[in-house]
Amino acid sequence: MTDTVRTARPGLPDRPTLDGLEEKWARRWQEEGTYAFDRSKDRSDVYAIDTPPPTVSGELHMGHVFSYTHTDLIARFQRMRGKMVFYPMGWDDNGLPTERRVQNVFKVRCDPSLPYDPEWTPSGKPESISRRNFIELCERLTVEDERAFEELWRRLGLSVDWSLTYTTIGRQARLVSQRAFLRNLARGEAYTADAPTLWDVGYRTAVAQAELEDRERPGAYHKLRFHGDEPVYVETTRPELLPACVALVCHPSDERYAALVGRTVRTPLFGVEVPVRAHALADPAKGTGIAMVCTFGDLADVTWWRELQLDTRVVIGRDGRLLPEAPAGVPAGVYAPLAGLTVNAARKAIVELLGEDLVGEPRPITHPVKFYENGEQPLEIVGTRQWYIRNGGRDPGLRDALLAWGRELRWVPEHMRHRYEHWVGGLNGDWLISRQRFFGVPIPVWYRLDDAGEPDHEHPLTPSEALLPIDPSSDIPAGFTAEDRGRPGGFIGDPDVMDTWATSSLSPQIIGGWEADPDLFGRVFPMDLRPQGQEIIRTWLFTSVVRAHLEHGVLPWHTTVQSGWILDPDRKKMSKSKGNVVTPMALLEEHGADAVRYWAANGRPGTDLAYEPRQIKVGRRLATKLLNASKFALGLGAAEALRAPVTEPLDASMLAGLSAALHTATAAFDEYDHTGALQATEAFFWTFCDDYIELVKERAYGSGEGADSARAALATALSVQLRLFAPFLPYATEEVWSWWRYGSVHRAPWPSRYELTADGDPELLKVASAALTQVRRAKSERRLSMRADVPLAEALGPAEQLDRLARVAGDFRAAGRIERLDLLPDRTPELVIACAF
């Protein structure tokens, strides 16, 4: 890093402007490798960032600009502190959102049974296509989206090393994901099981616990009469599951049903005998206090089914419709009218069929219903075979280890750690990683088929790591031929792909070159920083900790910084579903990247920030002022005076104040408080422009030792302030730096207090500023020009303040155009400047 002074008077622009700076400097930074990572540096000299890969199946919005700017502020600060910053960018392009976008854009659906057609092109009409054709469309669309995302990030000024870009569907990501999975499998941390699974009927895929969200939906309690020695009344919101009923459950302490426990009752309409059991999860205050257990209506049903070892009667298929055949023990003739109906249609049909066994009118309610976070229909629970990775949900020892890592990790802000602990403590099962989709990292296993053509799921066939990445739908396991696929005695590939988090959870390993580039991995892993959104602590952060713990026995990074949310002017969270998002490109074009970055920098980690166009305008005003004030100082000859001695008290006072601002800003950045750093820098800058420059410009125009001191102080202050502002206003600061310095301000060293006069009295500038403010006010009240002369000014106040004013009287009189200044100590408790005109 260099900080070289130009020896000639700088060529200053006639009219400095922010317009065009993004195109100019983004291109130069790329051409000159300003932000390129130098892998020759030792680990102690590297600052590695595990950058969030944004999902590219949509548009970037101001929430992205907000959080990614925060990361860039840290990267720029650490680079100027002497660190070699490892700052890659990734694109999260696999998974359900991409598939849904392809379906909507091209009006296609994937049918894996169809053959690949190399000549096929989208017609714009609804049609089904092969898996390979579908994946090609996914890849085509994501390339277009990624190009648009990169353009916006470059415009915003992210100091990313674009040569380190990766995608979550790229070869390296697939290789790392499959290698980690195979090692999890070999150690017994990954396993397959046939079990009740949360299922999105729209996407036709399994969903993990971390991807759930509750949404309030209207419903109704239906009161059903079960038959025994005495009628038993049960309230349920899902009467369509009556043919799946396997038991009634009450609380062990509920005396109303104590005599029924251990006996049986008959279901209405179907007349199936089901047992009455007791379980602590039953809520005596809910409904009638006794619940209908179905396989499966909700997660409580799954718990009761498993712990009470109840029968299984599944009626809902993966398409969200009632199965065509009645479950075992249910009369087929009674069930027949319900076969093949959607859930809603079946609910209406069964209400009509119940007759007198439906007691009274349904009671309307609003209640939380579980959805996949990206889904549009309520989740069902169906029995499927899925892959899982152990995450502490059923292993207290592993859970404790993961909680311990959470305590060791540095959290910014600290209170976000409690969200992690709450999530880990509340896990009720292992991490379901398989998805029944197409565009994702394939599960890298095959299964032998027995003589009847049934797969042996208990002994999967695995590839050598040297062959990764593989696709079991087209690649062949060792010892078999292509003709063996699908025939008895042959093999079949696992049809599923991994959950996108199963890949994203390995982002440090993917970008760090795990196994593929040991030299790089040794320099960047464990990484220094994971910046991310607070809403994905339970997914991305937690699963990354799980994978690093299982594979490496370490935390994947030392610090995590959690971003807040962007709110609309009504203080509501911006989201695409609410239709209140603001896309950033138009704002960048209108106001400039520095202005938008300024707005983003005013939001602290973990704190929500309202989208406020007026604050963006303030940012543009600040950046413009930086250009103009810099031109003025350099026009006085400040560049040639850099490092000349500072001899005048007011100049030393200003530098002492700047030294304090530098200390505050540096300490704030060290604590990941970029907002505090900006506030300290900005507050000093406006004092510097509005007061100090006005106080010294007459002296700086002159000659002699006093003028040299002013120009030297201006040069030092400009040099330091440009570097303090550089993380926030990268374009304006780089432009000014180019007027009088060689190299890039973003490769210059972070300012040091040793550059600034240490023995100045910061109160001198404060007193002079306060006095000048009063003179300006007096002129303004009399509607006089600021250049009007003041024949006499009397300064009254504490002797200590007037002594300070006396030391800078020359500059004060010149700035206020005061002909005579009288100092009258101890006449008033506060400083008062009385002007006579």
Side-chain angles (χ1 to χ4, degrees), residues 181-479:
F181 171 83
L182 292 175
R183 294 191 182 183
N184 292 140
L185 180 61
R187 293 191 296 260
E189 297 152 359
Y191 64 92
T192 182
D194 195 348
T197 307
L198 288 160
W199 188 265
D200 186 288
V201 299
Y203 282 110
R204 303 284 184 90
T205 186
V207 174
Q209 182 182 353
E211 298 169 307
L212 304 183
E213 66 179 30
D214 285 336
R215 300 179 192 171
E216 291 293 323
R217 287 293 183 269
Y221 269 125
H222 299 75
K223 193 172 186 178
L224 310 185
R225 180 190 291 112
F226 283 69
H227 302 278
D229 294 339
E230 296 289 339
V232 180
Y233 298 100
V234 176
E235 285 195 326
T236 178
T237 60
R238 302 205 61 182
E240 71 277 9
L241 293 181
L242 185 58
C245 179
V246 291
L248 298 185
V249 175
C250 63
H251 195 273
S253 65
D254 195 334
E255 296 181 356
R256 292 174 294 176
Y257 304 108
L260 277 175
V261 175
R263 300 170 66 182
T264 63
V265 296
R266 296 187 308 282
T267 61
L269 185 60
F270 297 98
V272 177
E273 284 203 3
V274 296
V276 179
R277 307 290 293 275
H279 194 280
L281 277 182
D283 185 355
K286 186 176 182 180
T288 60
I290 190 166
M292 180 174 74
V293 182
C294 303
T295 49
F296 300 93
D298 57 22
L299 295 175
D301 282 347
V302 175
T303 301
W304 287 325
W305 168 80
R306 181 181 292 118
E307 296 185 4
L308 299 176
Q309 298 183 335
L310 301 172
D311 292 338
T312 302
R313 294 193 183 100
V314 175
V315 296
I316 295 181
R318 298 186 182 190
D319 59 358
R321 294 177 177 270
L322 270 65
L323 295 173
E325 303 293 333
V330 174
V334 182
Y335 179 84
L338 306 173
L341 296 181
T342 64
V343 167
N344 289 334
R347 183 177 304 143
K348 294 177 182 177
I350 208 164
V351 166
E352 294 176 0
L353 292 170
L354 279 167
E356 293 183 356
D357 284 336
L358 177 64
V359 181
E361 292 295 322
R363 177 163 56 91
I365 61 166
T366 299
H367 61 147
V369 177
K370 294 201 178 298
F371 282 74
Y372 167 48
E373 59 188 359
N374 293 321
E376 299 172 355
Q377 299 183 56
L379 293 175
E380 299 292 348
I381 299 177
V382 301
T384 61
R385 178 167 291 279
Q386 303 291 342
W387 281 97
Y388 300 85
I389 290 179
R390 303 187 191 280
N391 66 353
R394 295 177 181 173
D395 182 341
L398 178 56
R399 186 195 304 262
D400 289 344
L402 296 173
L403 286 169
W405 284 128
R407 291 188 291 271
E408 183 171 324
L409 181 62
R410 179 185 180 185
W411 294 81
V412 181
E414 170 62 25
H415 68 81
M416 289 293 178
R417 176 173 57 84
H418 300 299
R419 298 192 183 193
Y420 174 90
E421 293 179 341
H422 178 75
W423 171 253
V424 178
L427 288 169
N428 56 25
D430 287 327
W431 175 18
L432 189 158
I433 66 160
S434 49
R435 294 293 182 272
Q436 291 64 53
R437 299 302 298 176
F438 315 108
F439 190 54
V441 179
I443 303 286
V445 300
W446 302 268
Y447 308 103
R448 294 181 186 274
L449 298 177
D450 62 19
D451 293 340
E454 293 298 322
D456 178 9
H457 290 110
E458 302 304 317
H459 303 91
L461 304 171
T462 59
S464 163
E465 286 190 8
L467 300 176
L468 300 177
I470 64 126
D471 185 347
S473 68
S474 56
D475 294 317
I476 301 166

Side-chain angles (χ1 to χ4, degrees), residues 537-729:
I537 289 174
R538 71 187 193 280
T539 48
W540 193 32
L541 188 144
F542 171 64
T543 56
S544 297
V545 172
V546 170
R547 303 306 283 278
H549 169 76
L550 296 177
E551 185 62 41
H552 309 285
V554 299
L555 276 171
W557 355 261
H558 306 305
T559 301
T560 181
V561 175
Q562 304 298 311
S563 178
W565 288 326
I566 293 304
L567 309 177
D568 66 15
D570 294 328
R571 309 299 294 181
K572 296 177 181 177
K573 179 188 174 185
M574 280 191 179
S575 69
K576 287 183 286 186
S577 63
K578 294 179 181 178
N580 62 348
V581 299
V582 176
T583 53
M585 185 57 84
L587 290 171
L588 291 172
E589 292 172 348
E590 179 181 0
H591 301 289
D594 283 352
V596 175
R597 290 172 63 97
Y598 171 85
W599 162 79
N602 273 280
R604 283 186 164 86
T607 302
D608 299 342
L609 180 68
Y611 167 66
E612 179 50 75
R614 286 177 298 181
Q615 196 166 41
I616 296 177
K617 294 178 181 178
V618 171
R620 184 172 179 87
R621 174 173 171 257
L622 173 65
T624 301
K625 185 69 173 180
L626 182 62
L627 294 179
N628 292 329
S630 300
K631 180 192 174 185
F632 179 80
L634 294 172
L636 292 171
E640 295 88 338
L642 184 63
R643 300 191 183 96
V646 173
T647 58
E648 292 296 313
L650 186 64
D651 303 334
S653 174
M654 181 273 292
L655 294 179
L658 178 55
S659 180
L662 167 62
H663 175 76
T664 300
T666 305
F669 258 129
D670 282 336
E671 295 299 316
Y672 295 91
D673 177 13
H674 52 258
T675 306
L678 174 60
Q679 290 174 345
T681 302
E682 184 182 8
F684 180 84
F685 174 72
W686 288 115
T687 297
F688 173 77
C689 294
D690 295 344
D691 297 330
Y692 175 73
I693 288 180
E694 292 300 315
L695 285 163
V696 302
K697 66 181 181 182
E698 291 296 329
R699 174 158 51 91
Y701 276 125
S703 59
E705 183 178 331
D708 292 341
S709 175
R711 289 191 285 266
L714 285 168
T716 299
L718 182 58
S719 173
V720 169
Q721 288 181 97
L722 286 174
R723 284 175 283 161
L724 286 176
F725 273 126
F728 306 99
L729 311 174

Side-chain angles (χ1 to χ4, degrees), residues 18 69 110 123 152 526:
L18 297 173
T69 297
C110 180
S123 66
L152 190 145

